[in-house]
Each structure stands twice: as structure tokens, then as C-alpha cells.
Amino acid sequence: MARCRVAILGNGPAMTAPVPVAAKAVTEHTRLRRVLTHPLAHLVYAMIVVGLLQAFIVKLYYVPSGSMEPTLMPGDRIIVNRIALSWDTPSTGDIVVFDAGDRWSETDVELSIWQHLRYAFGAMTGIGPAAPNTLVKRVIATEGQTLACCDAEGRMLVDGNPLDEPYVDVDFPWEPGLLDCSTSPGSLRCFESFTVPDGAFVALGDNRTASSDSLSNCRLTGQVDASCLRVGELDRIIGFQSTLAQ
């Protein structure tokens, strides 16, 4: 058996006695076990597990505004399914959470260093927001599809087909012959036909009159072009809204 030696001090000259290396290994193992079972270590483990879950499987989000009423109310917490993006692509009617670009920001405010660190932490760990403009909206049309409004009943048209939207509770006023796409002034629902750009999607809030979304800046003119259209990017979708958290 391998041995090490320790000094034994007494009245006479120092002497050494062999101590088994195995005993030293047991001591080191005990110390390591104490570190790994410390309550702070358990907290670190929990944070790692939560981070992995939110980064790859599901993520919890807080709904800050009323733009998706009555489907989602302010203060609701929603569970976002992230793994569904592995085999599915967003389509008309889906509710998604996505990181919007700078054009979606209502104000031009420079972020502080702490805000940058917060978003960097969210991007690396999956805990919390990863960007300042993280939004939840409903997908209306995706890349290559044409979108216009309205038909005779005031409905949007996706690839020429009317879109029934039972989830919309409050929309812009529409009265055939009095306030529609042929009158002056026209209904704010109306906009000209356009094609959704590649890699993009059009996202609207269910509460149309109180939603800052893809078309809100185009409502006054009814003409949709690059100067007013704000699209979401398909590769910046975080996940599908799965359910409400209790």
C-alpha cells in the first residue's frame, strides 16, 4: 500500500509515521461531498435546470399590456412551447412570442449597462427576456402570402380567402356603405394588398384598436409599404403560446 509520512513531535527529535494515502483520499472525498451537498450548490443546480428548461423546452412569460385582450389579459403568465419549432412552423392564427426589432420600439431609449447585462443573461440562460422588445401577438400571414382588407363583411383576406377571427372582440368600426373601404373617410380596417416578405410574418394583436403591431403605423393611409410595415422575423420566434400558467 502506498503511504505518506507525517512528522511526530515530542521531547526528542522529530519522527515520522506512515499515513495511508487511502485515508487522505477519503478526507478529500468527504470535503468534495460537503461542497456538492451544500444548500448553495443545490441552488446552483436548480438554476441550471430551470435555465435548460427555458432555453430549450418551455419558457414562462408575463403579459404586460392589453393588446391581446380578451384572449390574454394584462398580468397573465403564459407558458411558451419552444420545442414545437423543431417540427412546426407558424401559420395563420397561431399565438407566438418573439423578439421584435428596433422598429417595434415605441420610444428611442438607450439601454443602461444593467439592462444590457439583463438581456445577455436571458439570452445565455433562457431565464427572463433576451431582448427589450419581446412581444406576444397573433400570426396573420407568413412569408409569401398576400394580405389585404377588407371583403364586403369587413374581414381580412389571406391569399384571397376571408379570415374569420372569433378571437377579435374590439375592431375598428365598419359599416357597409357608410364606413368601409369605398367611403371617404374609410374604415381604419382597410389596407391595400401586399405580399409578406421572405423570412417574415405579419403579427397583430387581438385587441385591434389598442395594439402596436405590424400594421398599426399603416392604418391612417391604408397603404402598406416599407416605411410603415413592421414584420416579425421567423428566426426570432421564441415559441408558441401553449397555455396560461396558474
Side-chain angles (χ1 to χ4, degrees):
M1 177 184 298
R3 295 175 180 270
C4 61
R5 305 184 74 83
V6 297
I8 300 177
L9 299 179
N11 295 328
M15 297 183 297
T16 59
V19 176
V21 172
K24 182 179 180 182
V26 168
T27 301
E28 293 176 350
H29 176 74
T30 302
R31 186 182 298 114
L32 177 61
R33 184 173 61 184
R34 288 176 179 173
V35 170
L36 295 178
T37 57
H38 193 278
L40 289 179
H42 291 167
L43 178 61
V44 173
Y45 303 152
M47 291 182 64
I48 292 173
V49 171
V50 170
L52 291 174
L53 284 174
Q54 294 208 60
F56 300 106
I57 301 177
V58 296
K59 191 164 185 175
L60 187 66
Y61 276 94
Y62 169 84
V63 178
S65 72
S67 68
M68 284 294 291
E69 291 182 0
T71 308
L72 300 174
M73 304 300 292
D76 280 348
R77 293 174 297 166
I78 59 175
I79 296 175
V80 177
N81 185 342
R82 307 198 71 175
I83 59 175
L85 290 173
S86 302
W87 63 79
D88 198 6
T89 56
S91 58
T92 300
D94 288 334
I95 296 178
V96 297
V97 173
F98 63 101
D99 288 332
D102 294 338
R103 291 194 64 193
W104 289 75
S105 178
E106 295 298 319
T107 57
D108 187 15
V109 179
E110 185 174 351
L111 299 178
S112 67
I113 182 63
W114 299 113
Q115 288 174 311
H116 281 293
L117 291 174
R118 176 191 179 195
Y119 297 132
F121 178 78
M124 289 186 296
T125 65
I127 301 174
N133 296 316
T134 301
L135 306 178
V136 54
K137 301 289 182 186
R138 191 178 295 274
V139 175
I140 302 300
T142 62
E143 57 180 352
Q145 291 185 306
T146 59
L147 185 63
C149 196
C150 303
D151 69 356
E153 298 179 22
R155 296 175 298 182
M156 283 190 293
L157 301 168
V158 179
D159 290 335
N161 301 311
L163 179 62
D164 289 321
E165 299 184 285
Y167 42 78
V168 175
D169 187 46
V170 179
D171 204 344
F172 295 100
W174 175 272
E175 295 184 49
L178 296 176
L179 186 64
D180 57 26
C181 296
S182 64
T183 61
S184 182
S187 171
L188 291 179
R189 292 189 192 187
C190 303
F191 57 88
E192 296 180 347
S193 176
F194 69 97
T195 301
V196 182
D198 291 342
F201 64 97
V202 170
L204 301 182
D206 289 355
N207 186 358
R208 295 290 153 81
T209 62
S211 175
S212 177
D213 50 39
S214 289
L215 294 173
S216 56
N217 291 340
C218 304
R219 296 286 187 186
L220 291 178
T221 65
Q223 298 180 351
V224 180
D225 55 34
S227 66
C228 66
L229 179 64
R230 297 184 297 187
V231 294
E233 298 176 28
L234 291 172
D235 60 3
R236 299 185 71 172
I237 292 178
I238 296 170
F240 297 96
Q241 187 257 325
S242 176
T243 185
L244 287 174
Q246 300 300 319

